[in-house]
Amino acid sequence: MAITLNNGFKMPVVGLGVWRMDGKDVRDLIINSIKLGYRHFDCAADYKNEAEVGEALSEAFKTGLVKREDLFITTKLWNSDHGHVLEACKDSLKKLQLEYLDLYLVHFPVAVKHTGVGQTGSPLDKDGVLDIDTTISLETTWHAMEDLVSKGLVRSIGISNYDIFLTRDCLAYSKVKPAVNQIETHPYFQRDCLVKFCQKHGICVTAHTPLGGAAANTEWFGTVSCLDDPLLKALAEKYKKTVAQIVLRWGIQRNTVVIPKTSKSERLKENFQVFDFELAKEDMDKIKGIDRKYRTNQPAKFWGIDLYA
């Protein structure tokens, strides 16, 4: 099952995110997920495991497990490389052992002091606040992203963690429209206005943190996951599915792409088994009622500044 992007390319609606995935675990995870039917992988330079993903992909291609054209590979431009878009993209391609990317995203709408191509630093100033580079505009970054399309290095380009205003601006100055906006959205952080705005203007929404981050975000940010919500647990019993499957199905029925992350083989399988049932409208409406406007991914903890404030 796939969504057709505004440039005609198709993007599988369920992908596997590799954030916070140890390099030593990546190989087995990628190979096993391909065997289970995954064809969409969400990477980023900042995840610091592109080389390991590349090794796994290379093995999958060489052994005939899958063909390159059957996969949809996303990676992202880190904040410290906004002034070095071409070099950063080539660095990611080299690590991933690919000739082209299906999708390249601007990871965050902020440029910071350059720390070296592919180094993905988040330099702080003397006050412990993210050292933002005010000389590089998002428009400049976007036009450099567009050049990657004309060079044949990427098929689609998009944005990530952009709000309505920044997305509107990108639509205004772009020659190549963003195909995707990847944002945090889940039942506790539904962001209906942003989702609808993007979809109205032909931008596919990909939900990162589609399960609310679960234990990982509790550990990093002290946040709560929607997977413990009583309503979602009741729906899981009703449909004889796991709570995670209910939440992912809800995301799919909103016409968003979901990229859950897991390193456990049984969860990997469960997260892909979301195509054999459908949530009734009344249950979709019930889930709408538990929105808390609650962001679980909070980089301000590391950056000393809340970019969403």
Side-chain angles (χ1 to χ4, degrees), residues 15 28 66 70 77 130 132 138 186 191 208 220 281 305:
D28 288 346
V66 73
D70 295 330
L77 173 79
L130 193 66
I132 295 174
L138 292 178
H186 45 78
R191 310 178 83 181
H208 75 65
W220 273 37
K281 184 183 181 301
I305 184 173

Side-chain angles (χ1 to χ4, degrees), residues 80-111:
S80 55
D81 284 332
H82 276 229
H84 302 266
V85 174
L86 176 60
E87 302 97 311
C89 179
K90 285 183 174 179
D91 184 67
S92 286
L93 283 168
K94 183 178 179 182
K95 288 172 180 170
L96 290 166
Q97 300 186 42
L98 299 175
E99 293 184 359
Y100 69 90
L101 295 168
D102 295 280
L103 178 63
Y104 196 45
L105 302 176
V106 180
H107 203 150
F108 281 94
V110 62

Side-chain angles (χ1 to χ4, degrees), residues 272-296:
F272 203 69
Q273 293 174 333
V274 289
F275 301 108
D276 59 349
F277 75 107
E278 188 170 321
L279 296 173
K281 184 183 181 301
E282 64 192 49
D283 293 327
M284 291 290 289
D285 291 341
K286 284 177 185 174
I287 295 174
K288 202 170 208 177
I290 64 170
D291 188 6
R292 297 186 181 185
K293 297 180 169 48
Y294 181 73
R295 184 188 300 278
T296 68

Side-chain angles (χ1 to χ4, degrees), residues 102-302:
D102 295 280
L103 178 63
Y104 196 45
L105 302 176
V106 180
H107 203 150
F108 281 94
V110 62
V112 305
K113 183 179 177 182
H114 185 56
T115 56
V117 171
Q119 296 303 305
T120 64
S122 294
L124 306 180
D125 63 20
K126 58 182 173 52
D127 298 317
V129 175
L130 193 66
D131 196 354
I132 295 174
D133 187 338
T134 59
T135 68
I136 304 171
S137 71
L138 292 178
E139 181 173 356
T140 298
T141 299
W142 186 254
H143 291 321
M145 296 282 285
E146 292 174 324
D147 288 342
L148 301 177
V149 179
S150 60
K151 285 180 166 65
L153 297 175
V154 305
R155 288 185 167 179
S156 304
I157 51 176
I159 52 184
S160 182
N161 300 302
Y162 277 48
D163 62 16
I164 285 180
F165 300 112
L166 293 174
T167 304
R168 182 274 319 268
D169 281 359
C170 189
L171 285 167
Y173 56 63
S174 61
K175 298 186 188 75
V176 178
K177 301 297 181 190
V180 170
N181 187 7
Q182 184 178 127
I183 59 171
E184 178 181 346
T185 179
H186 45 78
Y188 278 2
F189 196 41
Q190 299 187 19
R191 310 178 83 181
D192 256 3
C193 292
L194 177 55
V195 170
K196 287 175 179 173
F197 176 84
C198 289
Q199 290 174 342
K200 176 183 178 182
H201 293 281
I203 301 171
C204 169
V205 172
T206 295
H208 75 65
T209 326
L211 301 174
N217 277 4
T218 301
E219 180 188 336
W220 273 37
F221 307 115
T223 49
V224 192
S225 170
C226 62
L227 296 183
D228 294 320
D229 189 90
L231 171 71
L232 297 174
K233 285 184 172 181
L235 289 176
E237 285 187 27
K238 175 181 174 180
Y239 287 91
K240 294 182 171 49
K241 292 287 181 179
T242 66
V243 179
Q245 286 170 327
I246 296 295
V247 173
L248 294 174
R249 183 69 210 182
W250 169 81
I252 291 169
Q253 287 183 219
R254 296 175 87 204
N255 295 316
T256 64
V257 170
V258 292
I259 46 171
K261 171 244 170 201
T262 184
S263 54
K264 297 174 181 173
S265 56
E266 67 273 16
R267 295 277 184 272
L268 197 63
K269 191 174 182 181
E270 280 179 7
N271 289 346
F272 203 69
Q273 293 174 333
V274 289
F275 301 108
D276 59 349
F277 75 107
E278 188 170 321
L279 296 173
K281 184 183 181 301
E282 64 192 49
D283 293 327
M284 291 290 289
D285 291 341
K286 284 177 185 174
I287 295 174
K288 202 170 208 177
I290 64 170
D291 188 6
R292 297 186 181 185
K293 297 180 169 48
Y294 181 73
R295 184 188 300 278
T296 68
N297 188 322
Q298 300 173 354
K301 177 180 177 182
F302 308 109

